[in-house]
Amino acid sequence: MSKAEGVKSFSLPKLQYDYNALAPYMSEEQLKLHHDKHHQGYVNGANAIFEKLDKARKDNVEIDIKSTLKELSFHIGGHILHSTFWDCMAPTGKGGGNPSGAIADLINKEFGSFERFKMEFTKAANSVEGSGWAVLAMQECVARPLIMQIEKHNINVYPGFRIILALDVWEHAYYMDYKNNRGKFVDGFWNVVNWDYANKVCAMIK
Ligand code: MN
């Protein structure tokens, strides 16, 4: 099957740090499995659906559009969120601590203090039902950031909101290191959160 020139497939992004860089908050084994197997699975899933769509269109055969699009959004959402999640963390010793710069200003203006934001975000992460994400996103038309819970990869998303921070709270993100103790995993995230990345996103906000 030939693809139109210029059409690309999704690919797994390389991490900006070594697999053992986030230890002890995320083990090498846990991160490698999460990145190489789970994230790769969403990349493969999205590409497979594009191929299915291409083939169906070329052969002009009917497919179940509703379920296909749902599955496509699940895989693309998974790919985008995981890519953001990796960028939201920095090696142990380089990340964590209190934010500074534009992200600190944004947090202080909306939430009153970093402590208040951290408490709300932690509670959002810990209370996601089943598999999902906690995300800090910017609604640019009202210039307010807000915390979202995302169920699976694509439910409850406000379209067009720019994601500043994303924390994966699917069990596959922490079960190897923390078993069922999601709270301990979320606490660990604050030690490796990458404020430089958050500031880069803030710089793109109008
Ligand atoms: Mn994940």
Side-chain angles (χ1 to χ4, degrees):
M1 183 177 59
S2 68
K3 286 198 168 181
E5 212 174 313
V7 173
K8 294 177 184 169
S9 300
F10 288 113
S11 59
L12 186 69
K14 204 177 165 325
L15 295 178
Q16 300 298 305
Y17 37 78
D18 293 333
Y19 286 111
N20 62 5
L22 304 176
Y25 306 107
M26 193 182 292
S27 69
E28 177 173 0
E29 195 184 18
Q30 175 74 76
L31 179 56
K32 203 165 196 315
L33 183 77
H34 196 177
H35 177 262
D36 292 7
K37 300 296 179 192
H38 291 282
H39 188 170
Q40 183 73 61
Y42 303 126
V43 167
N44 295 347
N47 289 334
I49 294 163
F50 278 130
E51 279 180 26
K52 176 180 154 183
L53 285 167
D54 286 345
K55 187 167 188 330
R57 288 164 186 168
K58 183 166 170 276
D59 299 342
N60 199 22
V61 294
E62 273 195 44
I63 53 166
D64 183 338
I65 288 291
K66 184 183 172 188
S67 67
T68 303
L69 296 186
K70 191 171 182 186
E71 204 183 342
L72 183 63
S73 79
F74 175 81
H75 288 295
I76 293 178
H79 171 53
I80 301 294
L81 284 164
H82 281 91
S83 299
T84 306
F85 180 46
W86 311 133
D87 286 342
C88 281
M89 294 182 289
T92 301
K94 292 186 177 168
N98 291 338
S100 59
I103 185 65
D105 295 343
L106 192 69
I107 285 172
N108 288 334
K109 190 175 169 209
E110 179 69 24
F111 298 93
S113 67
F114 172 58
E115 288 67 32
R116 175 77 200 187
F117 161 71
K118 186 177 171 183
M119 182 273 287
E120 287 192 23
F121 191 93
T122 297
K123 284 195 171 176
N126 286 339
S127 63
V128 170
E129 287 179 7
S131 299
W133 297 74
V135 158
L136 177 70
M138 188 68 181
Q139 170 45 290
E140 293 182 45
C141 55
V142 289
R144 290 186 71 152
L146 58 85
I147 296 167
M148 293 192 270
Q149 288 182 323
I150 297 174
E151 292 178 11
K152 294 179 189 168
H153 292 153
N154 50 6
I155 313 290
N156 284 345
V157 173
Y158 302 101
F161 280 36
R162 192 190 290 269
I163 294 174
I164 301 169
L165 288 178
L167 172 57
D168 190 343
V169 291
W170 282 56
E171 280 189 349
H172 72 217
Y174 59 85
Y175 210 81
M176 205 174 263
D177 288 342
Y178 297 97
K179 298 292 186 288
N180 60 338
N181 194 342
R182 185 194 289 182
K184 202 172 170 204
F185 164 70
V186 171
D187 288 344
F189 171 74
W190 295 112
N191 291 295
V192 290
V193 62
N194 186 348
W195 297 120
D196 289 342
Y197 174 76
N199 272 317
K200 270 184 210 158
V201 179
C202 285
M204 292 188 285
I205 292 169
K206 285 174 270 174

